[in-house]
Amino acid sequence: MIEQIENGMELSKVREILNEVIGIANEIGKITNSYNDLDDRPAIDGVELTSKSSMRDFKIEASQLPNQEELEKLFIQIAERKAEEVAKNAVAGKLDSNYSVLKKLEYNIGENMTVAIGTPEGEIFQTSLDDLVLYLKHAILKIDDQYLRVIK
């Protein structure tokens, strides 16, 4: 079980907990969104549908069809629906979508709450929520009672 992050917790402990969560997420594996990476793709008369499938692959002379464009559109629609179904089935077991079983995270937000702030250079600073709010109040100008602009 992963430990919860608590107010006032040392940054190294927070980092350890977050790294544990990242490790678990990485173990879930990559979920593909590419039709070509899926197993058990649909086929018509033994010809597997791919992104490169064409009418020639199905041993039907296009010139014999009364409405070739409409038939091609129909093939594409069927292939897209089947691909979506196969993708959903492949992803279904990867992540539990029943969020009601997850433990609710509650925050005890107060003025003295410790906040970690990271810079683009990778430095991390610690401040209180009260000091952060005070800084933000000074960094924002109210214009025409409707618009806010951040001063850089």
Side-chain angles (χ1 to χ4, degrees), residues 6 17 41 55 72 77 80:
E6 302 289 339
I17 292 169
R41 290 182 285 211
M55 292 297 292
E72 285 179 354
Q77 288 174 352
E80 287 173 345

Side-chain angles (χ1 to χ4, degrees), residues 105-144:
L105 180 60
E106 306 231 357
Y107 296 98
N108 186 9
I109 297 178
E111 292 176 354
N112 295 326
M113 180 178 177
T114 301
V115 178
I117 299 174
T119 68
E121 293 80 27
E123 295 178 291
I124 299 176
F125 297 95
Q126 173 182 325
T127 188
S128 69
L129 183 59
D130 193 35
D131 286 343
L132 179 60
V133 169
L134 184 64
Y135 167 77
L136 291 173
K137 283 181 181 178
H138 291 290
I140 297 176
L141 279 179
K142 191 172 184 184
I143 301 173
D144 296 333

Side-chain angles (χ1 to χ4, degrees), residues 10-30:
E10 291 289 328
L11 185 58
S12 61
K13 185 63 178 171
V14 171
R15 185 179 297 119
E16 180 181 316
I17 292 169
L18 291 175
N19 283 335
E20 185 176 355
V21 170
I22 291 168
I24 290 170
N26 287 335
E27 287 177 13
I28 291 174
K30 292 183 180 177

Side-chain angles (χ1 to χ4, degrees), residues 1-55:
M1 174 168 265
I2 299 173
E3 189 176 340
Q4 288 188 352
I5 297 173
E6 302 289 339
N7 291 338
M9 189 177 271
E10 291 289 328
L11 185 58
S12 61
K13 185 63 178 171
V14 171
R15 185 179 297 119
E16 180 181 316
I17 292 169
L18 291 175
N19 283 335
E20 185 176 355
V21 170
I22 291 168
I24 290 170
N26 287 335
E27 287 177 13
I28 291 174
K30 292 183 180 177
I31 298 174
T32 184
N33 62 357
S34 171
Y35 177 78
N36 291 326
D37 291 341
L38 298 175
D39 296 327
D40 195 31
R41 290 182 285 211
I44 297 174
D45 287 337
V47 178
E48 184 176 83
L49 299 176
T50 70
S51 60
K52 298 179 189 213
S53 294
S54 71
M55 292 297 292

